[in-house]
Amino acid sequence: MINPLNAVAMGDKKADIILKNSALVNVYTREINNQTQVAVLGDRIAYVGPDASHTAGPNTTIIDLQGKFLTPGFADPHVHIDQFVMPSELAKQSLLCGTTSLFSDPIDIVSVCGFSGLKQFLKFCAGLPIRIFSVTPGGIPVDPKFSHGKALSISEEKSALKLDGIVGLGEVFSWTKVTSRDPSTMKKLAQMLEHDCLINGHTAGASDKKLNAYISSGIFSCHEPIDYSQVMERLRLGMWVMMREGSIRRDLKNIIPEILQNKPYLSRLMFCSDGLDPSDISKFGHIDHCVHQAISMGMDKIDAITCASKTSFDYYGMGNNIGGISPGKLADLLVFDDLTKKPRRVFVGGKLVVSNGSIVTKIRKQTIPSWITKTVKLKKLSESDFIIPSKNTNVIANLIEMESEIITKLSTIELAVKDGNVIPSKEKDVWKVAAFDRIYGSGKKAVGFLKNFGADIGAFASTWSFHENDLIVIGSSEKDMAIAANHLIKYQGGMVIVKENKVHSFLPLQIAGILSKNSFDDVLEKFTNINQVLRDANCKFSRPHLMPLFLPFLALPSIRILHSGIIDVKKRSIIPPLA
């Protein structure tokens, strides 16, 4: 059988494309090879060397790079792309930034739609001019006692391994389930290891014997280290570390300077985003931003490119196929005028997809089944759904006190009762907060109190929340809270702000209540407006959209709210709204 790449390398067959006069960034030798020529046949590289003229034929496209840098395509080894926009819309933004491969953990679409949601999401990801590899979610249920988001059964996880694009198990972020050898968790890990699948980690807060126990269970990566010491503890134990620079956390500034000072081996270090909101990817970029940040802190340019490309594919066991520029590898290539800027050209599988800052390939219109746009299963709500009854004139209420958009603590406060209803207090910055089951249509709900929101509005509501996907409503007026909730019920998902009975800002998320059908630019505009309206109304936090996302998130302390009740995460108990 004739190997066509072999034949091109020898000149017996002609290349489709030759890139000549490149300054090739070599991630294998840590050098820049000037005046290098690269010949591509189909989707793979056939020749790398000083002269590819022997591979040129009458139909070969020859591109003179005129000394520009040529690098491998960038990869994001841990990213949640089932957020805000469809994969087709995210693909455009990532490609413009030179990110040609995404390793997706679709935990939110699964928590809403289960196995059917996973299969449909893989269809959304297929056929795009970007490589999307996916893992089955390893983080749900977060706490089986309280979690009610959908999760894959053991048999469904096994079936998922046969689906195109699945490469392993997503982040196992309840690491205490591993250290305590929870039977269900250990069975899940064992099944993955039996099928030679990779398992992604999440070890926030774990160290010493707990970290050792976690790693010895077959989990070899983590994207949670927030400083140099945490990175080094994991590297010393043989883990691969994904240095995070994304919308939830930005950790490079606490890691890179000491890495450069102490000079450990970089062979197990890579960049990741852990997810990007529309504003951040528009303003900063994607993995290219990590490269620029690392270089600005003093990292060698070739090392930064290696962390953005080769290391991710080595970790996923794909290094023989992708991640560098060498014969036989997939031709995912970036052309730069300057390695601290966005790429001038982007090739994926030998096809030009970005040229001079524009997408130059067609991205197919995706078919959206109707069932995935009908996940807000709630009947119309009224003001009475937000009442907390009491026969007293004053009560002591338990509060979810917001220390940041994400971090909470338990406190108490005295509140007045009016017409048998405990009312919030703008003077004390105390709000009502409610969670409704919008997935199963059970009618279950929980209503409590929240402190430190500050915005002069009537209500803020969202159907998207990590990873329980309740409808969350924060408000100072029961009437406006009902209007906000009903708006999301009517349009089947999104984020909405209501004041004085009127909708002031709305971001539709029609697909599973977490993704928009709309274009990236439209989502960016509406997302920006949501946050700006809240900030202009004197919200105490700069990223207020995160509040309803994290309020039900059981993986963080201390107080959360789900439709099943107000939860003390550490004590694993339900707290009543009134003390």
Side-chain angles (χ1 to χ4, degrees), residues 470-506:
D470 281 339
L471 168 60
I472 302 296
V473 190
I474 301 168
S476 58
S477 155
E478 287 93 351
K479 185 173 183 179
D480 281 352
M481 293 174 81
I483 291 171
N486 289 330
H487 193 79
L488 298 185
I489 294 168
K490 178 180 178 180
Y491 291 101
Q492 285 296 298
M495 294 182 175
V496 66
I497 299 167
V498 174
K499 182 178 180 180
E500 295 175 350
N501 309 332
K502 293 181 180 180
V503 171
H504 280 241
S505 185
F506 174 45

Side-chain angles (χ1 to χ4, degrees), residues 120-154:
Q120 182 57 53
F121 195 71
L122 294 179
K123 291 180 181 178
F124 289 154
C125 295
L128 298 175
I130 191 170
R131 302 188 193 280
I132 300 180
F133 307 96
S134 295
V135 291
T136 58
I140 44 179
V142 181
D143 184 340
K145 183 176 180 180
F146 300 114
S147 288
H148 44 67
K150 294 180 181 178
L152 303 186
S153 66
I154 289 290

Side-chain angles (χ1 to χ4, degrees), residues 363-579:
I363 296 181
R364 65 179 175 83
K365 186 175 177 62
Q366 295 176 311
T367 302
I368 301 169
S370 61
W371 64 266
I372 207 167
T373 64
K374 299 175 181 177
T375 61
V376 185
K377 300 173 183 175
L378 275 166
K379 294 179 180 179
K380 188 175 181 179
L381 301 178
S382 67
E383 294 177 51
S384 63
D385 289 299
F386 298 91
I387 285 175
I388 297 177
S390 175
K391 295 180 180 179
N392 300 321
T393 55
N394 291 282
V395 297
I396 301 298
N398 288 315
L399 289 177
I400 303 173
E401 185 168 342
M402 307 300 298
E403 296 190 309
S404 72
E405 300 98 325
I406 298 171
I407 304 302
T408 67
K409 68 177 182 180
L410 178 64
S411 62
T412 59
I413 200 165
E414 184 175 355
L415 293 175
V417 179
K418 183 178 179 180
D419 299 327
N421 173 37
V422 184
I423 58 173
S425 170
K426 278 194 174 184
E427 293 74 21
K428 297 177 180 178
D429 196 9
V430 174
W431 301 68
K432 280 193 172 175
V433 59
F436 295 85
D437 168 27
R438 62 105 170 168
I439 302 296
Y440 301 99
S442 67
K444 294 180 179 178
K445 66 172 184 178
V447 184
F449 293 98
L450 177 144
K451 183 174 175 59
N452 286 347
F453 182 45
D456 182 20
I457 62 165
F460 174 38
S462 173
T463 52
W464 176 31
S465 57
F466 299 139
H467 303 291
E468 310 298 338
N469 291 293
D470 281 339
L471 168 60
I472 302 296
V473 190
I474 301 168
S476 58
S477 155
E478 287 93 351
K479 185 173 183 179
D480 281 352
M481 293 174 81
I483 291 171
N486 289 330
H487 193 79
L488 298 185
I489 294 168
K490 178 180 178 180
Y491 291 101
Q492 285 296 298
M495 294 182 175
V496 66
I497 299 167
V498 174
K499 182 178 180 180
E500 295 175 350
N501 309 332
K502 293 181 180 180
V503 171
H504 280 241
S505 185
F506 174 45
L507 167 62
L509 300 172
Q510 313 95 323
I511 301 169
I514 60 176
L515 290 163
S516 180
K517 290 181 180 179
N518 302 0
S519 70
F520 177 86
D521 288 342
D522 182 77
V523 173
L524 171 61
E525 179 185 351
K526 290 179 168 61
F527 171 78
T528 302
N529 187 255
I530 286 279
N531 280 302
Q532 194 60 53
V533 167
L534 290 172
R535 286 192 293 264
D536 289 346
N538 297 318
C539 180
K540 292 190 172 179
F541 305 112
S542 61
R543 300 178 296 169
H545 75 279
L546 292 176
M547 294 178 69
L549 297 189
F550 279 94
L551 274 169
F553 189 47
L554 294 170
L556 289 176
S558 106
I559 309 300
R560 304 289 154 185
I561 185 169
L562 286 74
H563 71 244
S564 50
I566 303 164
I567 312 297
D568 184 317
V569 174
K570 288 185 176 180
K571 294 180 179 179
R572 300 184 73 214
S573 61
I574 291 180
I575 300 168
L578 303 181

Side-chain angles (χ1 to χ4, degrees), residues 48-238:
V48 180
D51 184 4
S53 61
H54 63 291
T55 72
N59 298 317
T60 303
T61 299
I62 299 176
I63 303 173
D64 188 346
L65 297 186
Q66 301 177 330
K68 292 180 171 58
F69 293 103
L70 185 64
T71 80
F74 297 159
D76 190 336
H78 176 71
V79 58
H80 300 282
I81 66 171
D82 51 340
Q83 301 175 356
F84 294 111
V85 295
M86 289 282 283
S88 55
E89 289 296 305
L90 177 66
K92 299 173 189 176
Q93 304 306 312
S94 294
L95 288 170
L96 289 169
C97 300
T99 304
T100 56
S101 293
L102 304 171
F103 290 85
S104 160
D105 189 338
I107 187 169
D108 290 303
I109 197 78
V110 171
S111 67
V112 178
C113 302
F115 194 28
S116 297
L118 175 63
K119 290 185 284 188
Q120 182 57 53
F121 195 71
L122 294 179
K123 291 180 181 178
F124 289 154
C125 295
L128 298 175
I130 191 170
R131 302 188 193 280
I132 300 180
F133 307 96
S134 295
V135 291
T136 58
I140 44 179
V142 181
D143 184 340
K145 183 176 180 180
F146 300 114
S147 288
H148 44 67
K150 294 180 181 178
L152 303 186
S153 66
I154 289 290
S155 62
E156 286 173 336
E157 285 183 348
K158 185 175 181 180
S159 297
L161 297 179
K162 301 174 184 176
L163 300 174
D164 287 342
I166 295 291
V167 297
L169 185 67
E171 57 178 318
V172 183
F173 55 67
S174 294
W175 56 260
T176 55
K177 293 181 185 176
V178 180
T179 57
S180 64
R181 295 173 296 285
D182 168 66
S184 176
T185 301
M186 301 313 285
K187 188 175 181 180
K188 178 185 295 189
L189 300 183
Q191 178 170 264
M192 288 291 161
L193 296 174
E194 286 167 8
H195 287 82
D196 294 321
C197 287
L198 181 144
I199 305 170
N200 284 332
H202 175 122
T203 61
S207 62
D208 194 27
K209 66 179 182 180
K210 295 173 182 177
L211 188 57
N212 275 267
Y214 189 85
I215 298 168
S216 66
S217 300
I219 310 171
F220 302 118
S221 76
C222 185
H223 61 277
E224 286 295 324
I226 62 173
D227 57 32
Y228 173 77
S229 64
Q230 291 184 8
V231 168
M232 290 305 296
E233 182 177 15
R234 284 150 184 77
L235 289 179
R236 289 177 185 128
L237 296 175

